[in-house]
Amino acid sequence: MNTVLSRANSLFAFSLSVMAALTFGCFITTAFKERSVPVRIAVSRVMLKYSTKNNALNQVVLWDKIILRGDSPKLLLKDMKSKYFFFDDGNGLKGNRNVTLTLSWNVVPNAGILPLVAGSGHVSVPFPDTYETAKSY
């Protein structure tokens, strides 16, 4: 006759096997799903990318927004101020001719992986050779 510990061990092992099978089934159903469906929640961001002598790739988030279900997905960024404090650490932007602004977003699913989708276009802008100083009135 089996002891109580032996039966508990069998029940525990069976429960873990069932949970592993369910987890794998959830992964399989969401891993290969098409991500171009209407978005319920999205996090959009405008990033600044540039390279310097010390770093091949520098990325700075200038602005982001969480878009909820029911909100307008159109972004109106005309005359928009930067949301985050932005400074040039080590003068890598001064006179840099290849600074790229990109738009990317995350689609937040109910379950599964969190994909980062990049926009199809980008804008490269040159930075000036001198910085403008703040004016005191």
Side-chain angles (χ1 to χ4, degrees), residues 5-56:
L5 289 176
S6 175
R7 290 181 185 203
N9 185 24
S10 297
L11 181 63
F12 180 70
F14 176 72
S15 300
L16 282 180
S17 299
V18 169
M19 286 191 289
L22 290 174
T23 302
F24 182 72
C26 181
F27 167 74
I28 289 297
T29 59
T30 59
F32 305 109
K33 212 167 174 101
E34 181 64 36
R35 305 247 186 260
S36 63
V37 295
V39 177
R40 293 187 179 178
I41 299 175
V43 180
S44 300
R45 70 182 65 83
V46 175
M47 292 181 66
L48 181 79
K49 296 180 183 180
Y50 63 100
S51 61
T52 60
K53 294 176 188 174
N54 296 334
N55 298 320

Side-chain angles (χ1 to χ4, degrees), residues 57-71:
L57 178 64
N58 297 296
Q59 296 178 335
V60 179
V61 176
L62 296 177
W63 176 87
D64 67 350
K65 180 179 181 179
I66 297 175
I67 302 171
L68 300 174
R69 179 179 35 203
D71 289 352

Side-chain angles (χ1 to χ4, degrees), residues 25-132:
C26 181
F27 167 74
I28 289 297
T29 59
T30 59
F32 305 109
K33 212 167 174 101
E34 181 64 36
R35 305 247 186 260
S36 63
V37 295
V39 177
R40 293 187 179 178
I41 299 175
V43 180
S44 300
R45 70 182 65 83
V46 175
M47 292 181 66
L48 181 79
K49 296 180 183 180
Y50 63 100
S51 61
T52 60
K53 294 176 188 174
N54 296 334
N55 298 320
L57 178 64
N58 297 296
Q59 296 178 335
V60 179
V61 176
L62 296 177
W63 176 87
D64 67 350
K65 180 179 181 179
I66 297 175
I67 302 171
L68 300 174
R69 179 179 35 203
D71 289 352
S72 175
K74 293 183 179 180
L75 300 175
L76 303 174
L77 301 177
K78 188 173 183 174
D79 297 327
M80 188 76 145
K81 299 213 184 310
S82 178
K83 185 175 180 180
Y84 300 108
F85 181 71
F86 175 65
F87 65 95
D88 187 6
D89 186 25
N91 295 326
L93 287 174
K94 188 188 293 186
N96 196 329
R97 299 290 175 220
N98 190 17
V99 177
T100 305
L101 292 171
T102 59
L103 174 67
S104 60
W105 58 90
N106 286 88
V107 177
V108 181
N110 290 335
I113 60 173
L114 184 66
L116 176 64
V117 182
S120 60
H122 64 278
V123 176
S124 294
V125 293
F127 265 61
D129 293 330
T130 60
Y131 290 137
E132 186 175 314

